[in-house]
């Protein structure tokens, strides 16, 4: 790999893009004795598995002893064997059942194939059988699965929610009566609204298991995160002290040669301005073609399906232009929307080496077996260190060396990592956050639980302290019916809401996007106002459309194909009303500055949109819009600006004394804090919103709000409120490390700003945050 890196540096287009190069050393495997059933040991030996890694043995021993377990080791470290052994042992011994839950069907397909091969090796008489139960199967196929009564059942949270739990007593009694193991794979992915929904589904699953006198062990598999036990407990509803943590990876790995690659910066001669950089996609494509041409089997992780599809095609064309038609035929794109057959074909070709390069979405981050690859290219920082290392884990065959290159984009997180490589390699992993107490989601899940098994007063141990109030509200709304029994008061549901609620969203209103008479996409109502307003440019499957009409009464947006060379961005105004202050604590470094956690209502009015040049980003014009106001009841943290800092910002070298300059300082600080949220917690930039104002009616002072972007809140700002110091410190570090003169996309500018990034004062934000941290190891500006 040293030769390859030296060769890349010699390429004619190389302009000093490699800003950091380091090698993460490999390690030898550490194995440990594990006493296995002779039949299972024989089948594993036929697969070439004669020794178990120490972390596999530790997890198996924990489950055998009756503990729950969290296995948090690297990609391709053999986590699946750690739950396969106890699941198969229990099936062999007493036909006990195991439920495996994973977030994506692609992963379920892969695990079904692997586990089925092992079960077949044991023979029919063993009693071990494997089946998947997903929404892609027909009614007759599902009936056949239930009749066969498999001992290992693989499913998604969605199918568990509406296809299994509602029918537990009628169709699945045989399964739950023998349930001894629940496997929650990719548990780190259960965050945000989806994670909050899933955490409530898991509590309903535990209720059903108890109804059948089952007490299963829970095995959670996770990538490396900062709080694996706490998060597994939050998702499953099991006590944190019931989990054994296994996080020492004992599998073998080769050295990984990391490159942090920053695309060249435009010099401003074309109106781009400071901080604008050439496309990370184009840089990644060029690297990809060079590596494939050099003989390295390479995968690119891209941020979207469209990027993966487009640049896989462009890369193949480039290889053909260089005369490598055979290599061009060995380039593909991998993403979740492909058919099962197409995905499996690509996976087999990767394993065999026939596919020399692939552009993929996050779908290949999951535990799908594709063998080891020579190189991984990460097209833009994927938002979290966890995901960066999970993607990098796809590189390497055994103990062979591998190459990993992170190609930076131009936003705050990308450039902060590129400028400060130690934060990627040395900073602790982010924390995962979910919120099973979300008051918008809880009533529907309580209602669903009542339809699965009558509710009783002690169900508050599953659904929390607000359970009695939720039951009272549902009873008053005639959705629950009270019954008196010999065992006390019970509640039963008058209906079943399972099919009326999606685990992947919280907004039940949606808008259909129609082009040439066909529905090409569906958007939640609020997203449609932002992305499908009249005049909006909308991208879908590599095609560009203009929205010609939006009818909110019928929920339909009409689109026409366009070849416009501009994009659109909405402008909006926001207000925040503090409904209830829930908690208050001082900043860790400023006893005189309180930080509050509150229930708030955010109201947003889209006022118009901008047309921006597709190449330079320059504003071409603005148009007004007349759209309805939307509101969001959520959770937020907020703090005020101390008097002496306000005076310094208004009157000192950091300001001119007017409201615009002071507003620019707090606006820039708000942007910067939001941008760095994913550096502390597993979340996307869109999960968080904010508002800053020189005078807020609730506080009577300058105030900065950061809020969860989903109804009821998803736990992010609660977590940040409890430990806000590191977020402020990281934000200040990011601002100081940016070398731009007055603010750029790499520090304070945001593509989501409803005020078109005006006003912003980077240096004022630095002064503000410095004054708040003090060395900690009239106009509203909204985002």
């Amino acid at each position: 790999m040293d030769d390859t890196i030296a060769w890349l540096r010699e390429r004619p287009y190389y302009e000093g893009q490699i800003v950091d190069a380091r090698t993460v050393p490999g390690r030898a495997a550490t194995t440990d004795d594990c006493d296995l059933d002779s039949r299972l040991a024989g089948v594993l030996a036929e697969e070439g598995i004669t020794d178990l890694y120490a972390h596999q043995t530790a997890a198996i021993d924990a489950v055998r002893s009756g503990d729950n377990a969290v296995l948090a080791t690297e990609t391709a470290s053999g986590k699946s064997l750690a739950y396969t052994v106890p699941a198969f042992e229990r099936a062999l011994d007493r036909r006990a059942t195991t439920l495996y839950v994973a977030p994506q069907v692609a992963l379920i397909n892969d695990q079904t194939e692997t586990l089925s091969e092992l079960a077949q090796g044991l023979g029919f008489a063993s009693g071990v059988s494997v089946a998947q139960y997903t929404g892609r199967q027909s009614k007759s196929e599902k009936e056949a699965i239930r009749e066969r009564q498999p001992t290992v059942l693989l499913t998604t949270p969605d199918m568990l929610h509406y296809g299994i739990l509602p029918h537990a007593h009628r169709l699945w009694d045989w399964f739950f009566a023998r349930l001894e193991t629940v496997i929650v794979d990719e548990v780190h992915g259960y965050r945000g609204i989806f994670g909050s929904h899933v955490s409530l589904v898991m509590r309903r699953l535990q209720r059903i298991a108890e109804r059948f006198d089952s007490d299963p062990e829970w095995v959670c598999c996770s990538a490396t995160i900062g709080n694996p036990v706490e998060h597994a407990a939050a998702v499953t509803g099991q006590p944190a002290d019931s989990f054994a943590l296994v996080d020492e990876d004992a599998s073998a790995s080769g050295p990984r040669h990391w490159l942090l690659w920053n695309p060249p910066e435009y010099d401003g001669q074309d109106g781009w301005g400071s901080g604008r950089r050439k496309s990370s996609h184009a840089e990644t494509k060029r690297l990809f073609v060079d590596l494939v041409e050099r003989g390295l089997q390479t995968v690119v992780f891209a941020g979207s399906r469209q990027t993966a599809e487009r640049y896989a095609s462009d890369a193949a064309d480039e290889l053909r232009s260089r005369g490598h038609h055979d290599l061009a035929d060995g380039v593909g794109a991998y993403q979740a929307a492909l058919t099962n057959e197409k995905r499996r074909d690509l996976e087999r070709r990767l394993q065999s080496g026939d596919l020399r390069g692939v552009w993929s979405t996050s779908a290949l981050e999951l535990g799908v077996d594709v063998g080891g690859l020579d190189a991984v290219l990460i097209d833009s920082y994927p938002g979290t260190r966890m995901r960066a290392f999970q993607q990098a884990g796809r590189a390497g065959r055994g103990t062979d060396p591998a190459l990993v290159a992170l190609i930076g984009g131009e936003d705050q997180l990308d450039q902060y990592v590129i400028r400060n490589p130690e934060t990627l390699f040395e900073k602790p992993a982010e924390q995962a956050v979910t919120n099973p107490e979300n008051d918008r989601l809880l009533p529907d899940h309580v209602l669903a639980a009542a339809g699965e098994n009558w509710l009783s007063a002690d169900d508050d141990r599953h659904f929390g302290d607000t359970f009695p109030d939720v039951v009272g509200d549902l009873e008053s709304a005639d959705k629950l019916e009270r019954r008196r029994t010999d065992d006390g008061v019970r509640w039963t549901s008058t209906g079943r809401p399972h099919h009326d609620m999606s685990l992947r969203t919280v907004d039940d209103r949606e808008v259909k996007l129609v082009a040439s008479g066909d529905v090409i996409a569906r958007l939640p109502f609020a997203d449609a106002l932002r992305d499908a307003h009249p005049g909006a440019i909308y991208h879908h499957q590599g095609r560009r459309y203009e929205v010609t009409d939006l009818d909110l009464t019928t929920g339909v947006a009409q689109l026409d194909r366009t070849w416009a060379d501009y994009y659109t961005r909405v402008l909006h105004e926001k207000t925040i009303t503090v409904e209830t202050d829930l908690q208050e604590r001082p900043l860790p470094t400023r006893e005189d500055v309180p930080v509050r956690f509150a229930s708030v209502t955010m109201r947003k009015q889209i006022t118009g949109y901008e047309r921006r040049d597709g190449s330079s980003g320059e504003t071409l014009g603005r148009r007004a819009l007349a759209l309805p106001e939307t509101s969001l009841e959520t959770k937020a943290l907020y703090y005020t600006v101390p008097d002496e800092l306000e005076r310094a910002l208004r009157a000192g070298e950091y300001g001119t004394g007017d409201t615009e300059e002071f507003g620019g300082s707090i606006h820039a600080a708000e942007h910067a804090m939001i941008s760095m949220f994913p550096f502390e917690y597993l979340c996307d930039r869109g999960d968080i919103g904010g508002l800053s104002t020189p005078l807020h009616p609730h506080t009577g002072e300058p105030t900065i709000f950061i809020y969860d972007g989903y109804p009821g809140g998803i736990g992010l700002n609660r977590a940040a409120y409890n430990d806000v110091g590191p977020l402020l410190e990281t934000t200040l570090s990011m601002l100081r490390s940016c070398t731009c003169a007055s603010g750029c996309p790499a520090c304070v500018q945001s593509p989501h700003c409803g005020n078109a990034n005006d006003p912003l004062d980077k240096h004022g934000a630095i002064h503000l945050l410095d004054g708040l941290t003090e060395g900690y190891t009239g106009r509203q500006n909204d985002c």
Side-chain angles (χ1 to χ4, degrees), residues 109 338-348:
N109 290 339
L338 297 174
T339 63
N340 290 340
E341 293 76 15
K342 180 63 175 176
R343 278 200 307 271
R344 298 305 290 170
D345 177 63
L346 290 171
E347 291 161 12
R348 283 189 289 268

Side-chain angles (χ1 to χ4, degrees), residues 646-725:
E646 180 182 359
R647 288 193 298 271
L649 289 167
R650 288 187 183 277
E653 61 179 292
Y654 300 98
T656 61
D658 62 32
T659 300
E660 283 288 300
E661 291 295 332
F662 174 67
S665 299
I666 59 176
H667 190 194
E670 171 219 328
H671 275 198
M673 281 187 69
I674 293 171
S675 73
M676 299 310 291
F677 235 88
F679 217 70
E680 302 294 331
Y681 306 98
L682 291 178
C683 65
D684 299 320
R685 169 60 179 77
D687 292 339
I688 299 294
L691 181 144
S692 55
T693 175
L695 182 66
H696 192 272
H698 181 73
T699 63
E701 299 178 78
T703 308
I704 295 175
F705 291 88
I706 311 291
Y707 61 84
D708 288 2
Y710 295 92
I714 53 177
L716 290 170
N717 274 283
R718 180 187 292 277
Y721 163 80
N722 287 327
D723 193 18
V724 73

Side-chain angles (χ1 to χ4, degrees), residues 37-107:
D37 180 284
S38 60
R39 293 166 291 179
L40 183 56
V43 172
L44 291 174
E46 291 175 2
E47 297 293 323
I49 302 172
T50 55
D51 296 300
L52 268 62
Y53 298 131
H55 66 266
Q56 294 171 326
T57 298
I60 292 168
D61 288 344
V63 178
R64 283 173 171 173
S65 64
D67 291 332
N68 298 324
V70 183
L71 189 56
T73 55
E74 292 183 14
T75 303
S77 60
K79 289 193 282 283
S80 61
L81 192 61
Y83 57 72
T84 299
V85 169
F88 276 36
E89 283 180 338
R90 293 171 174 187
L92 284 165
D93 182 56
R94 51 193 176 273
R95 293 220 63 202
T97 58
T98 293
L99 179 66
Y100 170 97
V101 183
Q104 292 193 17
V105 174
L107 181 53

Side-chain angles (χ1 to χ4, degrees), residues 506-741:
V506 72
D507 194 342
D508 56 1
R509 297 176 297 173
E510 69 175 18
V511 173
K512 293 182 288 188
L513 275 56
V514 177
S516 301
D518 297 325
V519 177
I520 62 170
R522 299 172 188 270
L523 292 177
F525 184 82
D527 289 354
L529 295 182
R530 181 193 64 209
D531 298 332
H533 58 78
I537 300 299
Y538 186 83
H539 295 265
H540 178 75
Q541 295 292 309
R543 296 184 175 185
R544 188 176 301 168
Y545 298 86
E546 180 177 2
V547 180
T548 58
D549 182 64
L550 174 61
D551 188 334
L552 296 176
T553 303
T554 60
V556 174
Q558 296 290 341
L559 285 69
D560 286 342
R561 284 291 306 277
T562 183
W563 284 263
D565 58 355
Y566 60 85
Y567 62 94
T568 52
R569 183 177 294 170
V570 295
L571 303 169
H572 58 243
E573 296 176 352
K574 283 195 293 192
T575 61
I576 282 184
T577 302
V578 176
E579 306 294 350
T580 307
D581 283 316
L582 302 173
Q583 292 176 277
E584 179 180 320
R585 66 193 308 166
L587 274 179
T589 53
R590 289 287 302 254
E591 292 289 331
D592 61 326
V593 179
V595 181
R596 298 182 178 93
F597 179 67
S599 294
V600 302
T601 300
M602 184 278 296
R603 295 176 176 83
K604 179 165 71 173
Q605 177 68 64
I606 292 177
T607 59
Y609 67 97
E610 291 182 326
R611 290 178 172 176
R612 295 198 169 199
D613 184 87
S615 298
S616 68
E618 179 183 356
T619 301
L620 302 176
R622 293 186 176 187
R623 299 284 179 89
L625 289 171
L627 295 172
E629 180 183 85
T630 58
S631 63
L632 172 69
E633 296 177 2
T634 187
K635 299 296 189 291
L637 71 80
Y638 70 94
Y639 60 91
T640 57
V641 178
D643 288 344
E644 84 280 2
L645 276 177
E646 180 182 359
R647 288 193 298 271
L649 289 167
R650 288 187 183 277
E653 61 179 292
Y654 300 98
T656 61
D658 62 32
T659 300
E660 283 288 300
E661 291 295 332
F662 174 67
S665 299
I666 59 176
H667 190 194
E670 171 219 328
H671 275 198
M673 281 187 69
I674 293 171
S675 73
M676 299 310 291
F677 235 88
F679 217 70
E680 302 294 331
Y681 306 98
L682 291 178
C683 65
D684 299 320
R685 169 60 179 77
D687 292 339
I688 299 294
L691 181 144
S692 55
T693 175
L695 182 66
H696 192 272
H698 181 73
T699 63
E701 299 178 78
T703 308
I704 295 175
F705 291 88
I706 311 291
Y707 61 84
D708 288 2
Y710 295 92
I714 53 177
L716 290 170
N717 274 283
R718 180 187 292 277
Y721 163 80
N722 287 327
D723 193 18
V724 73
L727 176 61
L728 291 171
E729 182 185 28
T730 300
T731 303
L732 179 59
S733 173
M734 180 273 289
L735 290 174
R736 283 176 167 164
S737 68
C738 185
T739 58
C740 75

